[in-house]
Amino acid sequence: LLDLFDEHRVRTTCFVLGWVADRHPELVRLIAARGHEVASHGYWHQLVYDLTATEFRDDVRRSRLLLQDLSGQPVDGYRAPSFSITRRSLWALDVLIDVGYTYDSSIFPVRHDRYGIPDAPRHPYRMRRPAGVITEVPPATLRVAGQNVPVAGGGYFRLLPYAWHRLGFRRINAGEQKPAVFYLHPWEVDPTQPRLSAGLLSRVRHYTNLHRTEPRLRRLLDDASFGTVREMLTRLGALPWASLDARQGTDVQAPLRES
């Protein structure tokens, strides 16, 4: 993947798992040396809503310190395993602020059986929390028939037609004048990986169309321009404010204003 990004002169944000960084420190150094932003995916890859606040704090703090030490750059961003910051785990945002993160990319504004806040804002925004302020960077979605539909990457990139994603990015970029956040797992470009025993739904989500990922990714890198999350937020400058009320079933939008 790093060679592919070099080939297309693309710089990315790599949300690195602390467990992997501990075992392959040279990989983190290589990511940073090639000009990519290093961000945190936590340490143990545990779902946030299955952890206590203390367990979560230990996890994200350990990961951030390790990645900063290995990369030699500040680690500003976090993405939860399986996008597991939901309404019942919004407390995690305060922990992230306390530990030193300035942005999060975990709140997916879709309906899903494991994650998502479907009425959360679709584009980057700022939240004022009890612990301070944090920027949220949602994965890309399109608004279709009153619902948010993913065009963000990952399994959606493998399972849905390529044309859907390209159309979605064009509509977001040109029509809405917003950036589109795309993500990908390294294992998704490895069609020969071992097949593990799992339930049918998990197998479909994980293994379907692995052989298509790299060709589609090459095409996408030719079709669109990319940059790191840090670069994107710098270019965007002022962001709208929003608050997500965990006690209610709806998103509470504050008036849009310049920060």
Side-chain angles (χ1 to χ4, degrees), residues 74-92:
V75 172
D76 299 323
Y78 171 78
R79 173 169 288 157
S82 299
F83 301 106
S84 53
I85 295 184
T86 63
R87 287 205 184 277
R88 59 177 166 142
S89 52
L90 287 175
W91 51 263

PDB file of all heavy atoms in Angstrom, residues 74-92:
ATOM      1  N   PRO A  74       3.358  14.416  16.266  1.00  0.00           N
ATOM      2  CA  PRO A  74       2.194  14.402  17.161  1.00  0.00           C
ATOM      3  C   PRO A  74       1.094  13.509  16.609  1.00  0.00           C
ATOM      4  O   PRO A  74       0.861  13.463  15.397  1.00  0.00           O
ATOM      5  CB  PRO A  74       1.743  15.862  17.200  1.00  0.00           C
ATOM      6  CG  PRO A  74       2.304  16.467  15.950  1.00  0.00           C
ATOM      7  CD  PRO A  74       3.593  15.748  15.671  1.00  0.00           C
ATOM      8  N   VAL A  75       0.438  12.776  17.492  1.00  0.00           N
ATOM      9  CA  VAL A  75      -0.695  11.935  17.106  1.00  0.00           C
ATOM     10  C   VAL A  75      -1.959  12.651  17.553  1.00  0.00           C
ATOM     11  O   VAL A  75      -2.296  12.671  18.740  1.00  0.00           O
ATOM     12  CB  VAL A  75      -0.578  10.525  17.724  1.00  0.00           C
ATOM     13  CG1 VAL A  75      -1.844   9.731  17.491  1.00  0.00           C
ATOM     14  CG2 VAL A  75       0.628   9.790  17.133  1.00  0.00           C
ATOM     15  N   ASP A  76      -2.652  13.268  16.603  1.00  0.00           N
ATOM     16  CA  ASP A  76      -3.808  14.107  16.898  1.00  0.00           C
ATOM     17  C   ASP A  76      -5.129  13.368  16.769  1.00  0.00           C
ATOM     18  O   ASP A  76      -6.122  13.752  17.384  1.00  0.00           O
ATOM     19  CB  ASP A  76      -3.843  15.316  15.946  1.00  0.00           C
ATOM     20  CG  ASP A  76      -2.623  16.207  16.085  1.00  0.00           C
ATOM     21  OD1 ASP A  76      -2.147  16.374  17.223  1.00  0.00           O
ATOM     22  OD2 ASP A  76      -2.150  16.739  15.060  1.00  0.00           O
ATOM     23  N   GLY A  77      -5.167  12.309  15.924  1.00  0.00           N
ATOM     24  CA  GLY A  77      -6.433  11.702  15.563  1.00  0.00           C
ATOM     25  C   GLY A  77      -6.628  10.301  16.088  1.00  0.00           C
ATOM     26  O   GLY A  77      -5.668   9.561  16.344  1.00  0.00           O
ATOM     27  N   TYR A  78      -7.890   9.928  16.221  1.00  0.00           N
ATOM     28  CA  TYR A  78      -8.274   8.598  16.711  1.00  0.00           C
ATOM     29  C   TYR A  78      -9.459   8.098  15.896  1.00  0.00           C
ATOM     30  O   TYR A  78     -10.346   8.873  15.528  1.00  0.00           O
ATOM     31  CB  TYR A  78      -8.674   8.675  18.186  1.00  0.00           C
ATOM     32  CG  TYR A  78      -9.286   7.394  18.721  1.00  0.00           C
ATOM     33  CD1 TYR A  78      -8.491   6.303  19.055  1.00  0.00           C
ATOM     34  CD2 TYR A  78     -10.663   7.274  18.900  1.00  0.00           C
ATOM     35  CE1 TYR A  78      -9.046   5.123  19.544  1.00  0.00           C
ATOM     36  CE2 TYR A  78     -11.228   6.095  19.389  1.00  0.00           C
ATOM     37  CZ  TYR A  78     -10.407   5.029  19.704  1.00  0.00           C
ATOM     38  OH  TYR A  78     -10.958   3.866  20.183  1.00  0.00           O
ATOM     39  N   ARG A  79      -9.441   6.800  15.603  1.00  0.00           N
ATOM     40  CA  ARG A  79     -10.610   6.129  15.036  1.00  0.00           C
ATOM     41  C   ARG A  79     -10.881   4.874  15.845  1.00  0.00           C
ATOM     42  O   ARG A  79      -9.989   4.038  16.032  1.00  0.00           O
ATOM     43  CB  ARG A  79     -10.420   5.776  13.560  1.00  0.00           C
ATOM     44  CG  ARG A  79     -11.579   4.927  13.007  1.00  0.00           C
ATOM     45  CD  ARG A  79     -11.528   4.805  11.503  1.00  0.00           C
ATOM     46  NE  ARG A  79     -11.893   6.062  10.858  1.00  0.00           N
ATOM     47  CZ  ARG A  79     -11.534   6.389   9.617  1.00  0.00           C
ATOM     48  NH1 ARG A  79     -10.794   5.573   8.912  1.00  0.00           N
ATOM     49  NH2 ARG A  79     -11.916   7.534   9.108  1.00  0.00           N
ATOM     50  N   ALA A  80     -12.095   4.732  16.331  1.00  0.00           N
ATOM     51  CA  ALA A  80     -12.459   3.598  17.178  1.00  0.00           C
ATOM     52  C   ALA A  80     -12.583   2.320  16.356  1.00  0.00           C
ATOM     53  O   ALA A  80     -13.039   2.351  15.205  1.00  0.00           O
ATOM     54  CB  ALA A  80     -13.778   3.874  17.887  1.00  0.00           C
ATOM     55  N   PRO A  81     -12.204   1.176  16.911  1.00  0.00           N
ATOM     56  CA  PRO A  81     -12.468  -0.105  16.249  1.00  0.00           C
ATOM     57  C   PRO A  81     -13.950  -0.237  15.910  1.00  0.00           C
ATOM     58  O   PRO A  81     -14.817   0.015  16.751  1.00  0.00           O
ATOM     59  CB  PRO A  81     -12.034  -1.131  17.305  1.00  0.00           C
ATOM     60  CG  PRO A  81     -10.998  -0.417  18.115  1.00  0.00           C
ATOM     61  CD  PRO A  81     -11.466   1.006  18.179  1.00  0.00           C
ATOM     62  N   SER A  82     -14.226  -0.587  14.668  1.00  0.00           N
ATOM     63  CA  SER A  82     -15.605  -0.762  14.200  1.00  0.00           C
ATOM     64  C   SER A  82     -16.479   0.466  14.465  1.00  0.00           C
ATOM     65  O   SER A  82     -17.685   0.337  14.705  1.00  0.00           O
ATOM     66  CB  SER A  82     -16.241  -2.012  14.823  1.00  0.00           C
ATOM     67  OG  SER A  82     -15.517  -3.165  14.456  1.00  0.00           O
ATOM     68  N   PHE A  83     -15.873   1.654  14.416  1.00  0.00           N
ATOM     69  CA  PHE A  83     -16.627   2.911  14.581  1.00  0.00           C
ATOM     70  C   PHE A  83     -17.519   2.878  15.829  1.00  0.00           C
ATOM     71  O   PHE A  83     -18.673   3.332  15.811  1.00  0.00           O
ATOM     72  CB  PHE A  83     -17.474   3.185  13.332  1.00  0.00           C
ATOM     73  CG  PHE A  83     -16.663   3.294  12.070  1.00  0.00           C
ATOM     74  CD1 PHE A  83     -16.667   2.268  11.137  1.00  0.00           C
ATOM     75  CD2 PHE A  83     -15.888   4.410  11.817  1.00  0.00           C
ATOM     76  CE1 PHE A  83     -15.919   2.359   9.970  1.00  0.00           C
ATOM     77  CE2 PHE A  83     -15.135   4.513  10.655  1.00  0.00           C
ATOM     78  CZ  PHE A  83     -15.151   3.486   9.731  1.00  0.00           C
ATOM     79  N   SER A  84     -16.972   2.351  16.935  1.00  0.00           N
ATOM     80  CA  SER A  84     -17.805   2.022  18.098  1.00  0.00           C
ATOM     81  C   SER A  84     -18.011   3.169  19.082  1.00  0.00           C
ATOM     82  O   SER A  84     -18.347   2.928  20.246  1.00  0.00           O
ATOM     83  CB  SER A  84     -17.228   0.802  18.829  1.00  0.00           C
ATOM     84  OG  SER A  84     -15.862   0.978  19.138  1.00  0.00           O
ATOM     85  N   ILE A  85     -17.848   4.408  18.650  1.00  0.00           N
ATOM     86  CA  ILE A  85     -18.349   5.526  19.448  1.00  0.00           C
ATOM     87  C   ILE A  85     -19.760   5.825  18.944  1.00  0.00           C
ATOM     88  O   ILE A  85     -19.957   6.354  17.848  1.00  0.00           O
ATOM     89  CB  ILE A  85     -17.441   6.762  19.351  1.00  0.00           C
ATOM     90  CG1 ILE A  85     -16.079   6.450  19.973  1.00  0.00           C
ATOM     91  CG2 ILE A  85     -18.086   7.957  20.062  1.00  0.00           C
ATOM     92  CD1 ILE A  85     -15.130   7.631  20.009  1.00  0.00           C
ATOM     93  N   THR A  86     -20.730   5.436  19.757  1.00  0.00           N
ATOM     94  CA  THR A  86     -22.146   5.598  19.440  1.00  0.00           C
ATOM     95  C   THR A  86     -22.779   6.451  20.530  1.00  0.00           C
ATOM     96  O   THR A  86     -22.093   6.985  21.399  1.00  0.00           O
ATOM     97  CB  THR A  86     -22.835   4.230  19.353  1.00  0.00           C
ATOM     98  OG1 THR A  86     -22.773   3.592  20.646  1.00  0.00           O
ATOM     99  CG2 THR A  86     -22.141   3.328  18.326  1.00  0.00           C
ATOM    100  N   ARG A  87     -24.100   6.572  20.519  1.00  0.00           N
ATOM    101  CA  ARG A  87     -24.742   7.387  21.557  1.00  0.00           C
ATOM    102  C   ARG A  87     -24.442   6.878  22.959  1.00  0.00           C
ATOM    103  O   ARG A  87     -24.339   7.663  23.895  1.00  0.00           O
ATOM    104  CB  ARG A  87     -26.251   7.440  21.323  1.00  0.00           C
ATOM    105  CG  ARG A  87     -26.642   8.308  20.134  1.00  0.00           C
ATOM    106  CD  ARG A  87     -28.057   8.835  20.255  1.00  0.00           C
ATOM    107  NE  ARG A  87     -28.410   9.574  19.050  1.00  0.00           N
ATOM    108  CZ  ARG A  87     -28.093  10.839  18.825  1.00  0.00           C
ATOM    109  NH1 ARG A  87     -27.411  11.501  19.732  1.00  0.00           N
ATOM    110  NH2 ARG A  87     -28.441  11.430  17.705  1.00  0.00           N
ATOM    111  N   ARG A  88     -24.320   5.560  23.100  1.00  0.00           N
ATOM    112  CA  ARG A  88     -24.066   5.040  24.452  1.00  0.00           C
ATOM    113  C   ARG A  88     -22.603   5.142  24.865  1.00  0.00           C
ATOM    114  O   ARG A  88     -22.260   4.811  26.004  1.00  0.00           O
ATOM    115  CB  ARG A  88     -24.532   3.590  24.560  1.00  0.00           C
ATOM    116  CG  ARG A  88     -23.893   2.605  23.598  1.00  0.00           C
ATOM    117  CD  ARG A  88     -24.398   1.205  23.880  1.00  0.00           C
ATOM    118  NE  ARG A  88     -24.103   0.255  22.837  1.00  0.00           N
ATOM    119  CZ  ARG A  88     -23.764  -1.007  23.055  1.00  0.00           C
ATOM    120  NH1 ARG A  88     -23.688  -1.459  24.282  1.00  0.00           N
ATOM    121  NH2 ARG A  88     -23.525  -1.816  22.051  1.00  0.00           N
ATOM    122  N   SER A  89     -21.719   5.582  23.966  1.00  0.00           N
ATOM    123  CA  SER A  89     -20.304   5.717  24.333  1.00  0.00           C
ATOM    124  C   SER A  89     -19.750   7.093  23.988  1.00  0.00           C
ATOM    125  O   SER A  89     -18.556   7.254  23.776  1.00  0.00           O
ATOM    126  CB  SER A  89     -19.466   4.631  23.656  1.00  0.00           C
ATOM    127  OG  SER A  89     -19.680   4.579  22.264  1.00  0.00           O
ATOM    128  N   LEU A  90     -20.623   8.121  23.961  1.00  0.00           N
ATOM    129  CA  LEU A  90     -20.149   9.478  23.683  1.00  0.00           C
ATOM    130  C   LEU A  90     -19.189   9.975  24.760  1.00  0.00           C
ATOM    131  O   LEU A  90     -18.394  10.888  24.512  1.00  0.00           O
ATOM    132  CB  LEU A  90     -21.338  10.432  23.558  1.00  0.00           C
ATOM    133  CG  LEU A  90     -22.180  10.315  22.278  1.00  0.00           C
ATOM    134  CD1 LEU A  90     -23.391  11.233  22.353  1.00  0.00           C
ATOM    135  CD2 LEU A  90     -21.344  10.628  21.052  1.00  0.00           C
ATOM    136  N   TRP A  91     -19.233   9.369  25.945  1.00  0.00           N
ATOM    137  CA  TRP A  91     -18.284   9.722  27.006  1.00  0.00           C
ATOM    138  C   TRP A  91     -16.838   9.544  26.543  1.00  0.00           C
ATOM    139  O   TRP A  91     -15.912  10.195  27.072  1.00  0.00           O
ATOM    140  CB  TRP A  91     -18.530   8.857  28.245  1.00  0.00           C
ATOM    141  CG  TRP A  91     -18.581   7.385  27.959  1.00  0.00           C
ATOM    142  CD1 TRP A  91     -19.690   6.623  27.760  1.00  0.00           C
ATOM    143  CD2 TRP A  91     -17.466   6.487  27.807  1.00  0.00           C
ATOM    144  NE1 TRP A  91     -19.347   5.314  27.494  1.00  0.00           N
ATOM    145  CE2 TRP A  91     -17.988   5.195  27.521  1.00  0.00           C
ATOM    146  CE3 TRP A  91     -16.089   6.642  27.895  1.00  0.00           C
ATOM    147  CZ2 TRP A  91     -17.178   4.077  27.312  1.00  0.00           C
ATOM    148  CZ3 TRP A  91     -15.271   5.533  27.681  1.00  0.00           C
ATOM    149  CH2 TRP A  91     -15.820   4.271  27.396  1.00  0.00           C
ATOM    150  N   ALA A  92     -16.624   8.695  25.546  1.00  0.00           N
ATOM    151  CA  ALA A  92     -15.274   8.445  25.052  1.00  0.00           C
ATOM    152  C   ALA A  92     -14.648   9.705  24.463  1.00  0.00           C
ATOM    153  O   ALA A  92     -13.410   9.861  24.487  1.00  0.00           O
ATOM    154  CB  ALA A  92     -15.293   7.324  24.008  1.00  0.00           C
TER     155      ALA A  92
END
